[in-house]
């Protein structure tokens, strides 16, 4: 009888342990997703800190990493900001998203995201033009 009790107890402990591991994994993945979202918001904020008044002052860079390769999109930025720091932050985001995709076996479409042709100013905001 005691052997049965031990077996039942062990099964309960194994199931509880597995459940706890799954919850910790989900929390870790959610935390990493939040970190990526926050970093992207930072980049977006830096990108929008200067009014778009002269299109010649604006450039764009690929950002993000699709699971099967290539950027997820493009981000515009003014040459009037600290472009070195901005580009480093964009590269950090791209690298971290690539690592996230690998770690969590993320899938995505494999469609090529064409780069924009130029940046134009509309209502003092940069707009990427693709055609």
């Amino acid at each position: 009888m005691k052997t049965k009790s031990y077996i039942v107890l062990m099964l309960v402990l194994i199931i509880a342990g597995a459940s706890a591991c799954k919850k910790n994994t989900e929390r870790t993945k959610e935390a990493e997703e939040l970190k990526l979202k926050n970093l992207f918001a930072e980049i977006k904020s830096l990108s929008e800190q200067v009014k778009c008044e002269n299109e010649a002052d604006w450039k764009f860079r690929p950002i993000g990493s699709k699971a099967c390769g290539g950027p997820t999109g493009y981000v515009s930025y003014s040459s009037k900001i600290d472009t070195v720091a901005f580009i480093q932050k964009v590269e950090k985001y791209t690298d971290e998203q690539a690592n996230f995709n690998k770690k969590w076996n993320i899938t995505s479409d494999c469609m090529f995201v064409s780069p924009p042709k130029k940046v134009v100013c509309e209502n003092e905001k940069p707009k990427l033009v693709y055609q």
Side-chain angles (χ1 to χ4, degrees):
M1 188 66 166
K2 284 186 177 185
T3 305
K4 262 189 178 178
S5 297
Y6 287 125
I7 292 172
V8 170
L9 179 61
M10 290 301 290
L11 285 173
V12 168
L13 290 174
I14 290 169
I15 292 169
S19 176
C21 286
K22 184 176 180 184
K23 286 180 184 174
N24 286 338
T25 299
E26 287 171 4
R27 256 186 252 131
T28 302
K29 183 178 178 187
E30 288 171 4
E32 289 179 22
E33 283 176 320
L34 182 59
K35 184 178 173 185
L36 280 169
K37 277 185 180 180
N38 289 338
L39 184 55
F40 185 82
E42 240 181 271
I43 291 166
K44 196 78 172 140
S45 176
L46 288 171
S47 148
E48 296 172 348
Q49 73 183 359
V50 174
K51 289 180 182 178
C52 188
E53 297 170 328
N54 181 358
E55 295 166 3
D57 293 335
W58 289 82
K59 300 176 181 184
F60 57 86
R61 291 209 45 95
I63 187 169
S65 178
K66 287 190 170 197
C68 55
T72 57
Y74 292 84
V75 63
S76 59
Y77 64 99
S78 171
S79 59
K80 294 181 178 181
I81 66 170
D82 181 350
T83 58
V84 172
F86 180 81
I87 290 168
Q88 286 174 343
K89 200 170 286 268
V90 169
E91 288 173 353
K92 178 181 178 184
Y93 174 83
T94 299
D95 291 344
E96 287 187 13
Q97 188 173 44
N99 292 335
F100 178 86
N101 291 344
K102 287 177 192 163
K103 179 177 181 179
W104 299 107
N105 295 317
I106 302 299
T107 59
S108 68
D109 67 51
C110 293
M111 291 185 64
F112 176 73
V113 179
S114 297
K117 301 287 184 205
K118 62 182 178 176
V119 180
V120 296
C121 296
E122 281 187 8
N123 301 319
E124 299 183 330
K125 294 189 183 280
K127 179 182 176 186
L128 297 171
V129 177
Y130 289 88
Q131 295 181 2

